[in-house]
Amino acid sequence: MGNRIHNAAYQSKVMSAEDAAALVNDGDMIGVSGFTGSGYPKAVPIALAARAKALHAAGTPFRVSLSTGASTAPELDGELADANAVNFRTPYQSDPETRKKINTGEIQYADIHLSHIAPQFRNGFHGRMNLAIIELTAIKADGSLVPSSSIGNNQAWLDIADKVIFEVNSWQSEDLEGMHDILGGIKQVPLDFAIPIYHSGDRPGSKYLTVDPAKVIAVVENDTPDRNSPFKPLDDVSKSIAGHLLDFLDLEEKAGRLPNPMPAMQSGVGNVANAVLAGLLHGQFENLTSYTEVIQDGMVDLIDAGKLEVASATAFSLSPEYAAKMNDNAKFYREKIILRNQEVSNNPEVIRRLGVIAMNGMIEADLYGNVNSTHIMGSRMQNGIGGSGDFARNAALTVFVSPSVAKGGAISAIVPMVSHVDHTEHDTDLVITEYGVADLRGKSPRQRVSEMIKVAHPDYRAMLQDYYDVAVKVANGQHTPHDLSQALSWHQRMLSTGTMKA
Amino acid sequence: MGNRIHNAAYQSKVMSAEDAAALVNDGDMIGVSGFTGSGYPKAVPIALAARAKALHAAGTPFRVSLSTGASTAPELDGELADANAVNFRTPYQSDPETRKKINTGEIQYADIHLSHIAPQFRNGFHGRMNLAIIELTAIKADGSLVPSSSIGNNQAWLDIADKVIFEVNSWQSEDLEGMHDILGGIKQVPLDFAIPIYHSGDRPGSKYLTVDPAKVIAVVENDTPDRNSPFKPLDDVSKSIAGHLLDFLDLEEKAGRLPNPMPAMQSGVGNVANAVLAGLLHGQFENLTSYTEVIQDGMVDLIDAGKLEVASATAFSLSPEYAAKMNDNAKFYREKIILRNQEVSNNPEVIRRLGVIAMNGMIEADLYGNVNSTHIMGSRMQNGIGGSGDFARNAALTVFVSPSVAKGGAISAIVPMVSHVDHTEHDTDLVITEYGVADLRGKSPRQRVSEMIKVAHPDYRAMLQDYYDVAVKVANGQHTPHDLSQALSWHQRMLSTGTMKA
Ligand SMILES: CC(C)(COP(=O)(O)OP(=O)(O)OC[C@H]1O[C@@H](n2cnc3c(N)ncnc32)[C@H](O)[C@@H]1OP(=O)(O)O)[C@@H](O)C(=O)NCCC(=O)NCCS
Ligand SMILES: CC(C)(COP(=O)(O)OP(=O)(O)OC[C@H]1O[C@@H](n2cnc3c(N)ncnc32)[C@H](O)[C@@H]1OP(=O)(O)O)[C@@H](O)C(=O)NCCC(=O)NCCS
């Protein structure tokens, strides 16, 4: 473990993860670092989970509330959920163990727009934040705090938490120093300044996080790598969805509806996003920029190829191979990549100003363009809305992508009525499946129906048309015709028979 | 009719409304002025409706598409809908005749966030805009265009329309000159500047609209007053909802969760909004500001009382009595009131920066905080989402208000699952009825249930609890427990029996 704590005052606070975990109190609201499996604390949470288990075995209650940047990893969400040590969780997760406990009802989960959570804490909506646990790459001699592979809400948590524990992780490359741009001075509203970003590459902030040193109660050393899920080879369905989007953008540019160079793109994580990035690598678009949440493998390739000028995000979400490449070449990439506070990466002001093209995954969409990103059959939480609402509402072009079916065809991603709404019909411009692009722009709800049926799986097209034909006959109004007795019947059938097929 | 056209070039284009209406082509996409019944053209649309009726009688098809600021009045929406002359309508309406034809399916209606419509037109999502018809107060000798009682999308339409017809309305006070602040230079994204508003009272724009004079094909003179609906006396339910909100804000300020002075307020139109404004008149809050869509009677009273420092909006929505007062005293009020482009009044950037408190009406909300602002029983359009989504998503505190029941108690405003979603559970902070405040902040969906039941009408509380108890038993996940077989049963019962009561 290399020594990364070059400041004497912080050096004097170094202790073991176990000793640091002992400073956490039952009932604490804890703000932790971590975003899509990068930059989360890796030692204290494990020690805390062990402590919680021991306390529970002794009959002593011990549970905390956790607020992160976004999803973390097994060492944090997984361990603590498994130890029954989490009472409340916000704003986003994708951990199997946490998901299980949310859906058994053991964890209360508040699923919150990623740009809203820090302002909500500043406004006191979640009570006091008792403690922050934040991963760093290094502490410099003058006390400067070098962030690691994600920023998320770190600066907000350092601003508002009563006490702070740092984990200094020597697996992270010291050359990350200079990749971050931390905008300070964000307080409880009203603010009296604009977010001074007019291009994805602007760097109005500082390279370092800041904290009142008096709040720091422990510093823990560590060298565990980020989670970094391996890259899945691109499948045909994802490639075909990506192809439809790229063809569409090409036509839009030719029609003068998209400026050249293309406005900054935001892309959610997952297979389709990777396929889009791969498609861009071999396509004709140049001088690309990203204003997005996470840096994925494909963006690194686009930077290497000279096609992506700059990528602004709040975190890495890389495969182990690309994480190693990033760590080896951070000096080069820090000129092209900027990691910002998530209040800034996801800020409606900047998203709207830049005219971002937003592309996110979905669970299902309905005939009228309402989108469900979070719930399986209306009740069961998958991950959360994440930043998709920040982007979908404020982007210049809002795109949702999904394979047309899930679970081997038993579930249609296009349904009569979605079982939960995360993105309303007012927000959806395009829905893309492997069958093409449903272009909902400038259309009334009824005009959207044929577009949506076109992109449904052929097995479900006649069923959708039948639903609509009956709805038109029985509805109490022709704006958004629904047959309320059948609107959710596909979901009910799935729950009772295991397939949406009649 | 006083002469308000002081410029020779424009004077030479003066013609009758009938002659101007003859310049409109079948199939035109027309951008018109008008917002909540103020500042809409009042002569050409009536002449156009007459022309359409005559053409239809002769067997000639004639229909146009209409894009406004927001709702207009019988002389525009009403006449044209009645003449079967409207093919497509966007982004918001509240006209009985138009509503009828939307719900019979004769008018295609795209219900769009009020801040999104101008950018969508600039991006080409709605095709070309063939013509703009815009009301003005006066044209000055140097050709400056003095706006009237609303701005809405006027500057956007003047920027992008191929041709322009002006209606110069001498009923509007000439002293309105100077009340407007028109921000120019808003183009197709990306923009390279911030919206330079840091306080509700900032005036970074111009007092006048601008147009390329070559595009102006007609100027029509007119002196018809704005629609201006009479003020309804405050009812007890509205007063009690307003009282709950004001008590809540008072407590929040004491708890340090609201700065003093209070951030700018946005209030939807209607009885509850009026009751809140009346409550503020007799309450303890001082140095108030508004960053909202429309100027209502109550704001005028608050200005008179010295409690409201400045009110920023895009339009008037006054009673005839207050409209007369405004016209008589516009010289005074123009120092305290600013009418802006609706791209600015509703801009997410400014709403977020100012930390606006947003309060809007709703049709219904569900146990988990999803809100329906637009649809009756899932299919039938009432008005539209208007600007409520611009504010609800980006405000610091998002409040929805409604009486607990509609139609004499046959309909509960709190239901198991809303029949349409305009504002998601991620956006709703408070739901207020005459029974109190449901405070959903920082709560998981299940934690919200008891808050929502508390504000339901007593007649429906046990029914809601029963629904929830069964849902918990049968749902496929405990995050948002739903019984899909019963989720919409209240709406179905209403449609078949005329009441939601079992
Ligand atoms: C919607 C979302 C879950 C799709 O994820 P993905 O990885 O792209 O897509 P997948 O097809 O692999 O689906 C993930 C899982 O959901 C399941 N699923 C997808 N659609 C489904 C549907 N309509 N019904 C039931 N299950 C469905 C898949 O079967 C898969 O389940 P498994 O893990 O048990 O195999 C994901 O995009 C998400 O969480 N989005 C919300 C947050 C967001 O948009 N973030 C980006 C910006 S921050
Ligand atoms: C939701 C909205 C319709 C409520 O309007 P309101 O004038 O405050 O409230 P009212 O109680 O008078 O309701 C209006 C009508 O809807 C009906 N209504 C209200 N709730 C209903 C419900 N749950 N089911 C059926 N009808 C309902 C009322 O009975 C009334 O009908 P009527 O005109 O036939 O008597 C209105 O606020 C709106 O259009 N909101 C969306 C746009 C918006 O928020 N704008 C503000 C910012 S831009």
PDB file of all heavy atoms in Angstrom, chain B residues 87-107:
ATOM      1  N   ASN B  87     -57.172  21.361 -36.963  1.00  0.00           N
ATOM      2  CA  ASN B  87     -56.725  20.002 -37.180  1.00  0.00           C
ATOM      3  C   ASN B  87     -55.869  19.527 -36.012  1.00  0.00           C
ATOM      4  O   ASN B  87     -56.030  18.420 -35.509  1.00  0.00           O
ATOM      5  CB  ASN B  87     -55.891  20.008 -38.474  1.00  0.00           C
ATOM      6  CG  ASN B  87     -55.277  18.678 -38.759  1.00  0.00           C
ATOM      7  OD1 ASN B  87     -55.920  17.665 -38.574  1.00  0.00           O
ATOM      8  ND2 ASN B  87     -54.021  18.696 -39.182  1.00  0.00           N
ATOM      9  N   PHE B  88     -54.968  20.400 -35.562  1.00  0.00           N
ATOM     10  CA  PHE B  88     -53.956  20.061 -34.563  1.00  0.00           C
ATOM     11  C   PHE B  88     -53.801  21.252 -33.651  1.00  0.00           C
ATOM     12  O   PHE B  88     -53.808  22.402 -34.107  1.00  0.00           O
ATOM     13  CB  PHE B  88     -52.642  19.755 -35.303  1.00  0.00           C
ATOM     14  CG  PHE B  88     -51.465  19.465 -34.406  1.00  0.00           C
ATOM     15  CD1 PHE B  88     -51.211  18.169 -33.982  1.00  0.00           C
ATOM     16  CD2 PHE B  88     -50.609  20.489 -34.007  1.00  0.00           C
ATOM     17  CE1 PHE B  88     -50.116  17.898 -33.157  1.00  0.00           C
ATOM     18  CE2 PHE B  88     -49.514  20.221 -33.179  1.00  0.00           C
ATOM     19  CZ  PHE B  88     -49.267  18.925 -32.757  1.00  0.00           C
ATOM     20  N   ARG B  89     -53.634  20.986 -32.353  1.00  0.00           N
ATOM     21  CA  ARG B  89     -53.548  22.075 -31.366  1.00  0.00           C
ATOM     22  C   ARG B  89     -52.451  21.734 -30.372  1.00  0.00           C
ATOM     23  O   ARG B  89     -52.352  20.600 -29.897  1.00  0.00           O
ATOM     24  CB  ARG B  89     -54.914  22.212 -30.675  1.00  0.00           C
ATOM     25  CG  ARG B  89     -54.997  23.264 -29.572  1.00  0.00           C
ATOM     26  CD  ARG B  89     -54.979  24.671 -30.122  1.00  0.00           C
ATOM     27  NE  ARG B  89     -55.281  25.664 -29.079  1.00  0.00           N
ATOM     28  CZ  ARG B  89     -54.397  26.094 -28.172  1.00  0.00           C
ATOM     29  NH1 ARG B  89     -53.157  25.642 -28.177  1.00  0.00           N
ATOM     30  NH2 ARG B  89     -54.762  26.999 -27.266  1.00  0.00           N
ATOM     31  N   THR B  90     -51.637  22.711 -30.022  1.00  0.00           N
ATOM     32  CA  THR B  90     -50.614  22.572 -29.003  1.00  0.00           C
ATOM     33  C   THR B  90     -50.304  23.952 -28.445  1.00  0.00           C
ATOM     34  O   THR B  90     -50.645  24.933 -29.102  1.00  0.00           O
ATOM     35  CB  THR B  90     -49.355  21.891 -29.617  1.00  0.00           C
ATOM     36  OG1 THR B  90     -48.514  21.407 -28.588  1.00  0.00           O
ATOM     37  CG2 THR B  90     -48.561  22.822 -30.527  1.00  0.00           C
ATOM     38  N   PRO B  91     -49.678  24.178 -27.278  1.00  0.00           N
ATOM     39  CA  PRO B  91     -49.306  23.193 -26.272  1.00  0.00           C
ATOM     40  C   PRO B  91     -50.269  23.100 -25.096  1.00  0.00           C
ATOM     41  O   PRO B  91     -50.088  22.197 -24.276  1.00  0.00           O
ATOM     42  CB  PRO B  91     -47.961  23.738 -25.780  1.00  0.00           C
ATOM     43  CG  PRO B  91     -48.128  25.231 -25.834  1.00  0.00           C
ATOM     44  CD  PRO B  91     -49.070  25.498 -26.983  1.00  0.00           C
ATOM     45  N   TYR B  92     -51.250  23.985 -24.941  1.00  0.00           N
ATOM     46  CA  TYR B  92     -52.140  23.977 -23.774  1.00  0.00           C
ATOM     47  C   TYR B  92     -53.429  24.665 -24.157  1.00  0.00           C
ATOM     48  O   TYR B  92     -53.412  25.640 -24.905  1.00  0.00           O
ATOM     49  CB  TYR B  92     -51.502  24.744 -22.600  1.00  0.00           C
ATOM     50  CG  TYR B  92     -52.345  24.779 -21.328  1.00  0.00           C
ATOM     51  CD1 TYR B  92     -52.363  23.692 -20.459  1.00  0.00           C
ATOM     52  CD2 TYR B  92     -53.121  25.897 -21.003  1.00  0.00           C
ATOM     53  CE1 TYR B  92     -53.134  23.721 -19.294  1.00  0.00           C
ATOM     54  CE2 TYR B  92     -53.893  25.919 -19.838  1.00  0.00           C
ATOM     55  CZ  TYR B  92     -53.890  24.829 -18.988  1.00  0.00           C
ATOM     56  OH  TYR B  92     -54.642  24.862 -17.847  1.00  0.00           O
ATOM     57  N   GLN B  93     -54.552  24.191 -23.628  1.00  0.00           N
ATOM     58  CA  GLN B  93     -55.840  24.837 -23.882  1.00  0.00           C
ATOM     59  C   GLN B  93     -56.731  24.632 -22.674  1.00  0.00           C
ATOM     60  O   GLN B  93     -56.492  23.731 -21.867  1.00  0.00           O
ATOM     61  CB  GLN B  93     -56.491  24.263 -25.146  1.00  0.00           C
ATOM     62  CG  GLN B  93     -56.846  22.780 -25.058  1.00  0.00           C
ATOM     63  CD  GLN B  93     -58.080  22.471 -24.254  1.00  0.00           C
ATOM     64  OE1 GLN B  93     -59.072  23.183 -24.345  1.00  0.00           O
ATOM     65  NE2 GLN B  93     -58.017  21.415 -23.450  1.00  0.00           N
ATOM     66  N   SER B  94     -57.753  25.444 -22.562  1.00  0.00           N
ATOM     67  CA  SER B  94     -58.755  25.189 -21.518  1.00  0.00           C
ATOM     68  C   SER B  94     -60.122  25.621 -22.034  1.00  0.00           C
ATOM     69  O   SER B  94     -60.988  26.002 -21.257  1.00  0.00           O
ATOM     70  CB  SER B  94     -58.403  25.940 -20.238  1.00  0.00           C
ATOM     71  OG  SER B  94     -58.470  27.338 -20.469  1.00  0.00           O
ATOM     72  N   ASP B  95     -60.290  25.535 -23.334  1.00  0.00           N
ATOM     73  CA  ASP B  95     -61.513  26.024 -23.967  1.00  0.00           C
ATOM     74  C   ASP B  95     -62.558  24.914 -24.081  1.00  0.00           C
ATOM     75  O   ASP B  95     -62.251  23.823 -24.556  1.00  0.00           O
ATOM     76  CB  ASP B  95     -61.150  26.522 -25.374  1.00  0.00           C
ATOM     77  CG  ASP B  95     -62.384  26.975 -26.136  1.00  0.00           C
ATOM     78  OD1 ASP B  95     -62.968  27.996 -25.740  1.00  0.00           O
ATOM     79  OD2 ASP B  95     -62.758  26.278 -27.103  1.00  0.00           O
ATOM     80  N   PRO B  96     -63.794  25.187 -23.654  1.00  0.00           N
ATOM     81  CA  PRO B  96     -64.825  24.122 -23.660  1.00  0.00           C
ATOM     82  C   PRO B  96     -65.027  23.495 -25.046  1.00  0.00           C
ATOM     83  O   PRO B  96     -65.157  22.268 -25.151  1.00  0.00           O
ATOM     84  CB  PRO B  96     -66.093  24.858 -23.208  1.00  0.00           C
ATOM     85  CG  PRO B  96     -65.629  26.087 -22.519  1.00  0.00           C
ATOM     86  CD  PRO B  96     -64.303  26.451 -23.096  1.00  0.00           C
ATOM     87  N   GLU B  97     -65.072  24.301 -26.094  1.00  0.00           N
ATOM     88  CA  GLU B  97     -65.339  23.777 -27.439  1.00  0.00           C
ATOM     89  C   GLU B  97     -64.151  22.947 -27.939  1.00  0.00           C
ATOM     90  O   GLU B  97     -64.322  21.875 -28.529  1.00  0.00           O
ATOM     91  CB  GLU B  97     -65.609  24.961 -28.382  1.00  0.00           C
ATOM     92  CG  GLU B  97     -66.346  24.610 -29.653  1.00  0.00           C
ATOM     93  CD  GLU B  97     -67.727  24.024 -29.376  1.00  0.00           C
ATOM     94  OE1 GLU B  97     -68.393  24.438 -28.395  1.00  0.00           O
ATOM     95  OE2 GLU B  97     -68.114  23.135 -30.135  1.00  0.00           O
ATOM     96  N   THR B  98     -62.956  23.459 -27.677  1.00  0.00           N
ATOM     97  CA  THR B  98     -61.747  22.728 -28.093  1.00  0.00           C
ATOM     98  C   THR B  98     -61.648  21.418 -27.317  1.00  0.00           C
ATOM     99  O   THR B  98     -61.353  20.355 -27.882  1.00  0.00           O
ATOM    100  CB  THR B  98     -60.504  23.613 -27.844  1.00  0.00           C
ATOM    101  OG1 THR B  98     -60.656  24.813 -28.588  1.00  0.00           O
ATOM    102  CG2 THR B  98     -59.232  22.901 -28.269  1.00  0.00           C
ATOM    103  N   ARG B  99     -61.908  21.494 -26.014  1.00  0.00           N
ATOM    104  CA  ARG B  99     -61.860  20.288 -25.175  1.00  0.00           C
ATOM    105  C   ARG B  99     -62.817  19.224 -25.725  1.00  0.00           C
ATOM    106  O   ARG B  99     -62.473  18.049 -25.822  1.00  0.00           O
ATOM    107  CB  ARG B  99     -62.231  20.656 -23.742  1.00  0.00           C
ATOM    108  CG  ARG B  99     -62.192  19.498 -22.761  1.00  0.00           C
ATOM    109  CD  ARG B  99     -62.715  19.909 -21.387  1.00  0.00           C
ATOM    110  NE  ARG B  99     -61.867  20.928 -20.784  1.00  0.00           N
ATOM    111  CZ  ARG B  99     -62.333  22.023 -20.177  1.00  0.00           C
ATOM    112  NH1 ARG B  99     -63.644  22.254 -20.098  1.00  0.00           N
ATOM    113  NH2 ARG B  99     -61.498  22.900 -19.660  1.00  0.00           N
ATOM    114  N   LYS B 100     -64.009  19.680 -26.085  1.00  0.00           N
ATOM    115  CA  LYS B 100     -65.011  18.737 -26.610  1.00  0.00           C
ATOM    116  C   LYS B 100     -64.465  18.027 -27.847  1.00  0.00           C
ATOM    117  O   LYS B 100     -64.549  16.809 -27.967  1.00  0.00           O
ATOM    118  CB  LYS B 100     -66.299  19.509 -26.942  1.00  0.00           C
ATOM    119  CG  LYS B 100     -67.526  18.663 -27.048  1.00  0.00           C
ATOM    120  CD  LYS B 100     -68.785  19.527 -27.068  1.00  0.00           C
ATOM    121  CE  LYS B 100     -69.068  20.043 -28.474  1.00  0.00           C
ATOM    122  NZ  LYS B 100     -70.149  21.056 -28.476  1.00  0.00           N
ATOM    123  N   LYS B 101     -63.868  18.795 -28.748  1.00  0.00           N
ATOM    124  CA  LYS B 101     -63.410  18.212 -30.017  1.00  0.00           C
ATOM    125  C   LYS B 101     -62.137  17.374 -29.829  1.00  0.00           C
ATOM    126  O   LYS B 101     -61.869  16.462 -30.617  1.00  0.00           O
ATOM    127  CB  LYS B 101     -63.189  19.318 -31.047  1.00  0.00           C
ATOM    128  CG  LYS B 101     -64.482  20.093 -31.306  1.00  0.00           C
ATOM    129  CD  LYS B 101     -64.902  20.124 -32.738  1.00  0.00           C
ATOM    130  CE  LYS B 101     -66.410  20.333 -32.812  1.00  0.00           C
ATOM    131  NZ  LYS B 101     -66.825  21.249 -33.862  1.00  0.00           N
ATOM    132  N   ILE B 102     -61.339  17.717 -28.822  1.00  0.00           N
ATOM    133  CA  ILE B 102     -60.199  16.841 -28.504  1.00  0.00           C
ATOM    134  C   ILE B 102     -60.739  15.495 -28.040  1.00  0.00           C
ATOM    135  O   ILE B 102     -60.241  14.438 -28.436  1.00  0.00           O
ATOM    136  CB  ILE B 102     -59.314  17.476 -27.399  1.00  0.00           C
ATOM    137  CG1 ILE B 102     -58.567  18.690 -27.954  1.00  0.00           C
ATOM    138  CG2 ILE B 102     -58.350  16.450 -26.819  1.00  0.00           C
ATOM    139  CD1 ILE B 102     -57.886  19.550 -26.896  1.00  0.00           C
ATOM    140  N   ASN B 103     -61.795  15.546 -27.251  1.00  0.00           N
ATOM    141  CA  ASN B 103     -62.293  14.301 -26.661  1.00  0.00           C
ATOM    142  C   ASN B 103     -63.229  13.514 -27.565  1.00  0.00           C
ATOM    143  O   ASN B 103     -63.480  12.331 -27.308  1.00  0.00           O
ATOM    144  CB  ASN B 103     -62.933  14.595 -25.293  1.00  0.00           C
ATOM    145  CG  ASN B 103     -61.866  14.907 -24.253  1.00  0.00           C
ATOM    146  OD1 ASN B 103     -60.867  14.186 -24.147  1.00  0.00           O
ATOM    147  ND2 ASN B 103     -62.037  15.986 -23.521  1.00  0.00           N
ATOM    148  N   THR B 104     -63.726  14.153 -28.622  1.00  0.00           N
ATOM    149  CA  THR B 104     -64.416  13.354 -29.647  1.00  0.00           C
ATOM    150  C   THR B 104     -63.400  12.832 -30.665  1.00  0.00           C
ATOM    151  O   THR B 104     -63.734  12.013 -31.509  1.00  0.00           O
ATOM    152  CB  THR B 104     -65.448  14.188 -30.440  1.00  0.00           C
ATOM    153  OG1 THR B 104     -64.748  15.289 -31.051  1.00  0.00           O
ATOM    154  CG2 THR B 104     -66.559  14.715 -29.553  1.00  0.00           C
ATOM    155  N   GLY B 105     -62.189  13.337 -30.601  1.00  0.00           N
ATOM    156  CA  GLY B 105     -61.155  12.884 -31.537  1.00  0.00           C
ATOM    157  C   GLY B 105     -61.041  13.748 -32.774  1.00  0.00           C
ATOM    158  O   GLY B 105     -60.248  13.455 -33.666  1.00  0.00           O
ATOM    159  N   GLU B 106     -61.804  14.839 -32.840  1.00  0.00           N
ATOM    160  CA  GLU B 106     -61.748  15.685 -34.047  1.00  0.00           C
ATOM    161  C   GLU B 106     -60.509  16.566 -34.089  1.00  0.00           C
ATOM    162  O   GLU B 106     -60.039  16.931 -35.158  1.00  0.00           O
ATOM    163  CB  GLU B 106     -63.009  16.552 -34.143  1.00  0.00           C
ATOM    164  CG  GLU B 106     -64.250  15.748 -34.486  1.00  0.00           C
ATOM    165  CD  GLU B 106     -65.516  16.528 -34.185  1.00  0.00           C
ATOM    166  OE1 GLU B 106     -65.924  17.326 -35.038  1.00  0.00           O
ATOM    167  OE2 GLU B 106     -66.091  16.355 -33.074  1.00  0.00           O
ATOM    168  N   ILE B 107     -60.002  16.947 -32.923  1.00  0.00           N
ATOM    169  CA  ILE B 107     -58.760  17.736 -32.875  1.00  0.00           C
ATOM    170  C   ILE B 107     -57.645  16.869 -32.293  1.00  0.00           C
ATOM    171  O   ILE B 107     -57.829  16.240 -31.250  1.00  0.00           O
ATOM    172  CB  ILE B 107     -58.934  19.011 -32.013  1.00  0.00           C
ATOM    173  CG1 ILE B 107     -59.960  19.955 -32.656  1.00  0.00           C
ATOM    174  CG2 ILE B 107     -57.600  19.731 -31.820  1.00  0.00           C
ATOM    175  CD1 ILE B 107     -60.217  21.235 -31.864  1.00  0.00           C
TER     176      ILE B 107
END
